[in-house]
Amino acid sequence: MDHNISLENDIFKHIPLEQHLAIQQYFKYKTYKKAAFIIQPNEPVKDLYWIQSGLVKLSYEDENCREHILSFAFEDWWETDFSAFYHQTRSKLYLQCLEPTALYALSYADYQRIVQQYSLSNYFLQKSINGHIASQHRILSLLTDSPKSRYELFRSSYPALVQRISKTVLAQYLGVSRETLSRIYK
């Protein structure tokens, strides 16, 4: 089976064709089953992940063993514990598959190499900025919006994702109980 990254995929839209094969060598293809952990707390975070297919959640478990979902990532999205990846420290987060997932892992050393050799700094900077903006919007929504408004915003922003995640997982992400989400659905 060919595990080469397609030219149509996000990262390769930004580089000349002749650089495609040179960069592709740095990505390691991996597959995971549903419910598998890609990252767990206290593990070193060595890779940045580009999701080819599937769905993952990035979450934190507090001292009361309550899970807080920070984000979801699916096809053509990048995900990792970014703080641990960029600082080359141990994770405080979980990255878990909600569906069978195929991805490409890019090590920190190879990330540094391709950013410098292939002028991809602007590409990754734009991805980081977009992620930061999305995080700020989510924080403001959690602080100021009603549960119903948060649900409607999520549904309008990610219509296909609503069909791919359970109501329990969606309730965790929205910061509401499963019962509250059921009332909103009605």
Side-chain angles (χ1 to χ4, degrees), residues 171-184:
Q172 285 177 306
Y173 177 79
L174 296 173
V176 299
S177 69
R178 174 74 171 81
E179 294 76 22
T180 299
L181 185 60
S182 291
R183 282 193 298 275
I184 293 170

PDB file of all heavy atoms in Angstrom, residues 171-184:
ATOM      1  N   ALA A 171     -20.899  16.887  24.766  1.00  0.00           N
ATOM      2  CA  ALA A 171     -21.245  17.570  26.018  1.00  0.00           C
ATOM      3  C   ALA A 171     -19.979  17.926  26.798  1.00  0.00           C
ATOM      4  O   ALA A 171     -19.864  19.046  27.323  1.00  0.00           O
ATOM      5  CB  ALA A 171     -22.166  16.687  26.858  1.00  0.00           C
ATOM      6  N   GLN A 172     -19.016  16.999  26.867  1.00  0.00           N
ATOM      7  CA  GLN A 172     -17.748  17.290  27.554  1.00  0.00           C
ATOM      8  C   GLN A 172     -17.055  18.479  26.904  1.00  0.00           C
ATOM      9  O   GLN A 172     -16.538  19.358  27.594  1.00  0.00           O
ATOM     10  CB  GLN A 172     -16.821  16.076  27.504  1.00  0.00           C
ATOM     11  CG  GLN A 172     -17.206  14.973  28.443  1.00  0.00           C
ATOM     12  CD  GLN A 172     -16.282  13.781  28.268  1.00  0.00           C
ATOM     13  OE1 GLN A 172     -16.108  13.275  27.163  1.00  0.00           O
ATOM     14  NE2 GLN A 172     -15.693  13.355  29.365  1.00  0.00           N
ATOM     15  N   TYR A 173     -17.000  18.488  25.580  1.00  0.00           N
ATOM     16  CA  TYR A 173     -16.333  19.578  24.863  1.00  0.00           C
ATOM     17  C   TYR A 173     -17.029  20.920  25.138  1.00  0.00           C
ATOM     18  O   TYR A 173     -16.364  21.941  25.318  1.00  0.00           O
ATOM     19  CB  TYR A 173     -16.336  19.287  23.363  1.00  0.00           C
ATOM     20  CG  TYR A 173     -15.725  20.388  22.534  1.00  0.00           C
ATOM     21  CD1 TYR A 173     -14.340  20.521  22.440  1.00  0.00           C
ATOM     22  CD2 TYR A 173     -16.522  21.293  21.853  1.00  0.00           C
ATOM     23  CE1 TYR A 173     -13.772  21.528  21.682  1.00  0.00           C
ATOM     24  CE2 TYR A 173     -15.956  22.309  21.095  1.00  0.00           C
ATOM     25  CZ  TYR A 173     -14.586  22.423  21.009  1.00  0.00           C
ATOM     26  OH  TYR A 173     -14.030  23.430  20.260  1.00  0.00           O
ATOM     27  N   LEU A 174     -18.353  20.906  25.160  1.00  0.00           N
ATOM     28  CA  LEU A 174     -19.107  22.144  25.372  1.00  0.00           C
ATOM     29  C   LEU A 174     -19.144  22.568  26.840  1.00  0.00           C
ATOM     30  O   LEU A 174     -19.578  23.671  27.155  1.00  0.00           O
ATOM     31  CB  LEU A 174     -20.535  21.978  24.848  1.00  0.00           C
ATOM     32  CG  LEU A 174     -20.673  21.759  23.348  1.00  0.00           C
ATOM     33  CD1 LEU A 174     -22.124  21.440  22.984  1.00  0.00           C
ATOM     34  CD2 LEU A 174     -20.161  22.965  22.571  1.00  0.00           C
ATOM     35  N   GLY A 175     -18.686  21.681  27.725  1.00  0.00           N
ATOM     36  CA  GLY A 175     -18.671  22.020  29.150  1.00  0.00           C
ATOM     37  C   GLY A 175     -20.044  21.958  29.782  1.00  0.00           C
ATOM     38  O   GLY A 175     -20.352  22.726  30.690  1.00  0.00           O
ATOM     39  N   VAL A 176     -20.890  21.023  29.307  1.00  0.00           N
ATOM     40  CA  VAL A 176     -22.233  20.858  29.855  1.00  0.00           C
ATOM     41  C   VAL A 176     -22.456  19.382  30.176  1.00  0.00           C
ATOM     42  O   VAL A 176     -21.712  18.514  29.721  1.00  0.00           O
ATOM     43  CB  VAL A 176     -23.326  21.352  28.875  1.00  0.00           C
ATOM     44  CG1 VAL A 176     -23.156  22.831  28.577  1.00  0.00           C
ATOM     45  CG2 VAL A 176     -23.342  20.541  27.593  1.00  0.00           C
ATOM     46  N   SER A 177     -23.503  19.110  30.934  1.00  0.00           N
ATOM     47  CA  SER A 177     -23.846  17.719  31.219  1.00  0.00           C
ATOM     48  C   SER A 177     -24.513  17.101  29.997  1.00  0.00           C
ATOM     49  O   SER A 177     -25.025  17.805  29.111  1.00  0.00           O
ATOM     50  CB  SER A 177     -24.790  17.643  32.420  1.00  0.00           C
ATOM     51  OG  SER A 177     -26.054  18.184  32.062  1.00  0.00           O
ATOM     52  N   ARG A 178     -24.538  15.799  29.960  1.00  0.00           N
ATOM     53  CA  ARG A 178     -25.198  15.071  28.875  1.00  0.00           C
ATOM     54  C   ARG A 178     -26.694  15.420  28.858  1.00  0.00           C
ATOM     55  O   ARG A 178     -27.305  15.553  27.810  1.00  0.00           O
ATOM     56  CB  ARG A 178     -24.958  13.561  29.083  1.00  0.00           C
ATOM     57  CG  ARG A 178     -25.684  12.659  28.133  1.00  0.00           C
ATOM     58  CD  ARG A 178     -25.021  12.711  26.751  1.00  0.00           C
ATOM     59  NE  ARG A 178     -25.564  11.697  25.889  1.00  0.00           N
ATOM     60  CZ  ARG A 178     -26.715  11.790  25.225  1.00  0.00           C
ATOM     61  NH1 ARG A 178     -27.470  12.845  25.355  1.00  0.00           N
ATOM     62  NH2 ARG A 178     -27.111  10.813  24.447  1.00  0.00           N
ATOM     63  N   GLU A 179     -27.273  15.589  30.038  1.00  0.00           N
ATOM     64  CA  GLU A 179     -28.697  15.922  30.154  1.00  0.00           C
ATOM     65  C   GLU A 179     -28.978  17.309  29.579  1.00  0.00           C
ATOM     66  O   GLU A 179     -29.977  17.515  28.886  1.00  0.00           O
ATOM     67  CB  GLU A 179     -29.146  15.863  31.619  1.00  0.00           C
ATOM     68  CG  GLU A 179     -29.100  14.477  32.224  1.00  0.00           C
ATOM     69  CD  GLU A 179     -27.672  14.002  32.585  1.00  0.00           C
ATOM     70  OE1 GLU A 179     -26.752  14.833  32.768  1.00  0.00           O
ATOM     71  OE2 GLU A 179     -27.489  12.768  32.660  1.00  0.00           O
ATOM     72  N   THR A 180     -28.096  18.275  29.872  1.00  0.00           N
ATOM     73  CA  THR A 180     -28.261  19.612  29.326  1.00  0.00           C
ATOM     74  C   THR A 180     -28.195  19.586  27.801  1.00  0.00           C
ATOM     75  O   THR A 180     -29.005  20.216  27.126  1.00  0.00           O
ATOM     76  CB  THR A 180     -27.193  20.579  29.891  1.00  0.00           C
ATOM     77  OG1 THR A 180     -27.347  20.649  31.298  1.00  0.00           O
ATOM     78  CG2 THR A 180     -27.297  21.964  29.272  1.00  0.00           C
ATOM     79  N   LEU A 181     -27.253  18.832  27.274  1.00  0.00           N
ATOM     80  CA  LEU A 181     -27.140  18.725  25.814  1.00  0.00           C
ATOM     81  C   LEU A 181     -28.403  18.097  25.223  1.00  0.00           C
ATOM     82  O   LEU A 181     -28.891  18.546  24.178  1.00  0.00           O
ATOM     83  CB  LEU A 181     -25.900  17.930  25.414  1.00  0.00           C
ATOM     84  CG  LEU A 181     -25.629  17.860  23.914  1.00  0.00           C
ATOM     85  CD1 LEU A 181     -25.428  19.252  23.329  1.00  0.00           C
ATOM     86  CD2 LEU A 181     -24.403  16.995  23.639  1.00  0.00           C
ATOM     87  N   SER A 182     -28.960  17.105  25.890  1.00  0.00           N
ATOM     88  CA  SER A 182     -30.194  16.486  25.392  1.00  0.00           C
ATOM     89  C   SER A 182     -31.339  17.499  25.357  1.00  0.00           C
ATOM     90  O   SER A 182     -32.122  17.512  24.408  1.00  0.00           O
ATOM     91  CB  SER A 182     -30.592  15.302  26.280  1.00  0.00           C
ATOM     92  OG  SER A 182     -29.678  14.257  26.130  1.00  0.00           O
ATOM     93  N   ARG A 183     -31.422  18.349  26.353  1.00  0.00           N
ATOM     94  CA  ARG A 183     -32.461  19.392  26.362  1.00  0.00           C
ATOM     95  C   ARG A 183     -32.245  20.370  25.207  1.00  0.00           C
ATOM     96  O   ARG A 183     -33.189  20.813  24.565  1.00  0.00           O
ATOM     97  CB  ARG A 183     -32.461  20.134  27.703  1.00  0.00           C
ATOM     98  CG  ARG A 183     -33.134  19.364  28.811  1.00  0.00           C
ATOM     99  CD  ARG A 183     -33.416  20.230  30.028  1.00  0.00           C
ATOM    100  NE  ARG A 183     -32.218  20.778  30.651  1.00  0.00           N
ATOM    101  CZ  ARG A 183     -31.465  20.140  31.554  1.00  0.00           C
ATOM    102  NH1 ARG A 183     -31.790  18.921  31.935  1.00  0.00           N
ATOM    103  NH2 ARG A 183     -30.415  20.726  32.081  1.00  0.00           N
ATOM    104  N   ILE A 184     -30.978  20.710  24.936  1.00  0.00           N
ATOM    105  CA  ILE A 184     -30.670  21.629  23.834  1.00  0.00           C
ATOM    106  C   ILE A 184     -31.072  21.006  22.497  1.00  0.00           C
ATOM    107  O   ILE A 184     -31.616  21.686  21.640  1.00  0.00           O
ATOM    108  CB  ILE A 184     -29.172  22.001  23.828  1.00  0.00           C
ATOM    109  CG1 ILE A 184     -28.820  22.827  25.064  1.00  0.00           C
ATOM    110  CG2 ILE A 184     -28.799  22.740  22.559  1.00  0.00           C
ATOM    111  CD1 ILE A 184     -27.321  23.028  25.278  1.00  0.00           C
TER     112      ILE A 184
END
